[in-house]
Amino acid sequence: MPSKLENLNETKDGARFSMEGDWLGTHITVVTAYDGNYDDWPYHVYLQTGESPRQRLTTRPTTRRGSTKLSAFEQGLLLAVNSLTRAPKSAGTTTTKKEAPAPNARPPFVDMGTQMPSHVGAQALMPLD
């Protein structure tokens, strides 16, 4: 099992920049562009496994932003990896008592730019239109 992103590649298409890589058999794409109105880099995250349709992990319009292009890529890749490494909920399984989180533990999805939990405004994987 890989412990890091593989096949990372940055591309540019006009004003948009994208960073692509693979994690545990899923292709991750983070797309960003500079927003001069806010002086930051809003980004979108997409996941694709095999031949299945590409899924958007972030809302549209996005509420996720980085202060630099690099921070947008890092935050987007972190969001994707966290999403892919969560334990899936299986139907018909019994529930067990959950352990209390560590005193200073961060929630699993934190937008590093705003420190806002992702469940505020973020949605689960959604099919593209």
Side-chain angles (χ1 to χ4, degrees):
M1 177 183 294
S3 61
K4 64 178 183 170
L5 285 161
E6 299 175 330
N7 306 320
L8 280 176
N9 183 35
E10 181 180 341
T11 59
K12 182 178 188 224
D13 180 19
R16 292 189 179 112
F17 296 86
S18 66
M19 176 71 71
E20 299 182 38
D22 298 311
W23 177 265
L24 302 176
T26 300
H27 188 72
I28 301 169
T29 305
V30 179
V31 180
T32 189
Y34 179 71
D35 184 346
N37 293 323
Y38 297 97
D39 190 29
D40 62 10
W41 295 77
Y43 63 91
H44 295 276
V45 180
Y46 301 93
L47 304 176
Q48 183 174 13
T49 303
E51 297 297 320
S52 65
R54 187 167 75 159
Q55 303 289 310
R56 186 177 50 250
L57 187 60
T58 51
T59 59
R60 190 174 55 186
T62 187
T63 57
R64 301 196 175 264
R65 298 174 176 273
S67 58
T68 64
K69 179 177 71 167
L70 180 60
S71 72
F73 285 151
E74 288 175 345
Q75 291 175 49
L77 292 169
L78 179 62
L79 176 67
V81 168
N82 282 340
S83 171
L84 293 170
T85 55
R86 285 190 314 201
K89 295 180 181 177
S90 301
T93 59
T94 59
T95 58
T96 58
K97 186 176 179 180
K98 294 183 179 179
E99 293 182 26
N104 293 322
R106 285 187 179 197
F109 294 98
V110 175
D111 184 338
M112 303 308 273
T114 63
Q115 297 298 311
M116 180 185 305
S118 67
H119 67 272
V120 180
Q123 298 175 6
L125 291 176
M126 301 176 291
L128 293 175
D129 299 331

